[in-house]
Amino acid sequence: MRKPLIAGNWKMHFTVPEGLEYALQLRRDLEPYSAVVDAVILPPAVMLWEIANALRGCAIEVGAQNAGWEDQGPFTGEISPKMLAGWCHYLLIGHSERRQLFNETDEELNRKLHAGLRHRLKVILAVGETLEEYEAGRTAEVITRQLNAAVYGVELRQATELSVAYEPVWAIGTGKAATPQYANETMGLIRRLLESPFGALASEIRILYGGSVTPANARSLMEQPEIDGGLVGGASLKAADFTGSSRRRLRCCSRRECERTRAGTRSRDHRRLGLPSGAGGQRDRRCQETELGRALGAMAAHHPGRGRRARRSTGGSAGELRGWPPQYRRRADRLPGPDPDQPRDSRRKLQAEPGFAAGHD
Ligand code: PGA
């Protein structure tokens, strides 16, 4: 069975301190879902490494929003899949903003897909038709072209590392999501197209819907049999109040609670939420959908603009990373710092050592 995947595409939002603080909030709030939903955040490249470190050992994974296809070389401004390998889990390619604003072609995306898979990244390939193409009834033609071109030459053994995001361009950032039926139908086509190169493995590839997903419409979309999750842009950033009671709801859907339910203990929270319960009750699709909807809600809940803001340091000791969340300031404190009693020349030597933090006097 395909495990749902929710990806939060931060696009070009947040400063590094804000992104870090937000990621740590998501870690607390999304981890309870990890048994039933894979969650990945796609921060801007500049903060990817720090956020990957902050989330290390936790179920929330990180991914890059884009990468080139070469391993290295004279490609100013580009990052390579090789640079992401080993610590970054996902790579998104083919987002319509990349295709349209940065003129990325099907052929380039095929090269990016190969490069990502070669470096063991889980690649999310985005496809989708523009409004013009949609209105001209060309959706199937466009999706077929984009998908076939991108997966050309991908080997069977790599297929399960691939996910596809169907994102109708007219639904992205417009507040007008595709109807669940339309999305499901198009995603059914995508699965049939995947069968041609990958055979039975196509049924293991996750297909996500993206385009104005919000906590309000997530459930009706996720109920569709072909929709295995969401690629969420705006709603992965927007604030919503996230209170102690919603934490309780999160806990309610954790595996432990569901197992309790299966054993016949109907918890108060399950009753309140109308989740399945009773002896022999299944931890069924309905329960999962509820969890999935809440996961999206949780992702939308912590925009630093309305939540706690990244705290600014008000001066402080040598070694503080000013303006960074406290966890990082503490980490900076653990970095080797100079002993003020040391003679000047040995301090200089220490400063020359790799890993010595800027900011230590
Ligand atoms: P949206 O963006 O959710 O804001 O429509 C989705 C995306 O661009 O991936």
Side-chain angles (χ1 to χ4, degrees):
M1 189 174 147
R2 299 183 296 269
K3 189 175 176 186
L5 169 65
I6 299 194
N9 178 9
W10 293 6
K11 305 193 182 187
M12 200 174 72
H13 291 284
F14 299 134
T15 63
V16 179
E18 283 171 346
L20 274 170
E21 173 133 345
Y22 184 38
L24 291 168
Q25 285 182 326
L26 290 179
R27 173 185 182 144
R28 283 193 297 275
D29 297 329
L30 288 181
E31 259 208 315
Y33 288 120
S34 61
V36 287
V37 175
D38 284 341
V40 54
I41 52 175
L42 307 166
V46 68
M47 61 189 81
L48 201 46
W49 169 258
E50 282 294 347
I51 289 179
N53 274 330
L55 299 182
R56 189 175 295 166
C58 122
I60 319 285
E61 297 187 294
V62 295
Q65 297 173 14
N66 178 41
W69 59 82
E70 298 286 357
D71 285 355
Q72 59 189 34
F75 302 99
T76 303
E78 199 68 308
I79 61 169
S80 78
K82 186 184 177 189
M83 295 171 182
L84 301 168
W87 58 272
C88 180
H89 312 101
Y90 282 83
L91 169 62
L92 170 65
I93 60 167
H95 191 282
S96 64
E97 286 151 17
R98 301 292 319 170
R99 290 179 190 262
Q100 296 195 320
L101 303 175
F102 299 92
N103 302 318
E104 291 191 1
T105 64
D106 288 332
E107 194 213 331
E108 285 168 354
L109 291 169
N110 174 252
R111 298 171 83 173
K112 288 184 179 204
L113 180 52
H114 279 276
L117 293 173
R118 191 168 68 245
H119 289 289
R120 307 270 165 102
L121 295 164
K122 294 183 240 182
V123 180
I124 303 173
L125 166 71
V127 297
E129 80 283 8
T130 62
L131 181 61
E132 218 174 40
E133 291 159 344
Y134 169 71
E135 285 175 345
R138 293 179 50 215
T139 299
E141 172 204 324
V142 172
I143 301 294
T144 305
R145 191 203 72 230
Q146 291 179 342
L147 195 74
N148 286 346
V151 303
Y152 181 77
V154 172
E155 291 174 29
L156 266 186
R157 66 183 168 84
Q158 298 173 311
T160 47
E161 298 303 300
L162 176 69
S163 307
V164 178
Y166 169 55
E167 297 207 303
V169 181
W170 45 269
I172 294 177
T174 59
K176 291 183 196 149
T179 63
Q181 294 71 24
Y182 178 80
N184 189 61
E185 213 172 277
T186 314
M187 291 157 86
L189 164 73
I190 291 174
R191 194 165 309 282
R192 288 195 297 282
L193 290 169
L194 289 169
E195 278 166 8
S196 163
F198 305 129
L201 278 182
S203 67
E204 290 177 35
I205 296 175
R206 292 185 284 199
I207 307 181
L208 319 180
Y209 169 79
S212 296
V213 175
T214 64
N217 62 20
R219 183 162 181 178
S220 59
L221 285 161
M222 302 307 152
E223 274 171 359
Q224 300 299 316
E226 292 293 356
I227 303 186
D228 301 320
L231 178 54
V232 189
S236 75
L237 306 172
K238 277 178 205 140
D241 291 332
F242 196 68
T243 61
S245 71
S246 56
R247 282 227 170 75
R248 224 176 49 193
R249 277 189 275 159
L250 283 165
R251 270 206 306 278
C252 168
C253 281
S254 73
R255 182 185 289 282
R256 196 160 48 87
E257 283 290 329
C258 285
E259 273 164 7
R260 252 171 60 189
T261 302
R262 199 179 299 145
T265 315
R266 190 176 195 195
S267 76
R268 197 158 54 89
D269 278 340
H270 270 78
R271 245 195 332 269
R272 186 165 51 77
L273 295 163
L275 293 173
S277 62
Q282 294 290 309
R283 191 161 175 282
D284 64 6
R285 177 129 176 118
R286 186 170 158 219
C287 186
Q288 280 192 22
E289 284 160 9
T290 311
E291 290 165 322
L292 197 58
R294 296 230 169 82
L296 285 163
M299 276 184 143
H302 292 296
H303 190 280
R306 266 185 53 187
R308 284 186 309 131
R309 298 211 62 99
R311 268 176 251 147
R312 306 261 159 212
S313 164
T314 50
S317 61
E320 277 195 352
L321 295 173
R322 290 191 176 79
W324 289 53
Q327 304 83 329
Y328 290 87
R329 295 210 298 271
R330 277 202 298 280
R331 209 185 64 183
D333 289 343
R334 289 201 300 274
L335 292 171
D339 176 350
D341 297 331
Q342 275 181 328
R344 220 40 226 176
D345 55 348
S346 64
R347 288 182 62 178
R348 241 180 252 122
K349 204 168 132 221
L350 187 61
Q351 279 167 341
E353 275 176 23
F356 184 80
H360 289 287
D361 178 35

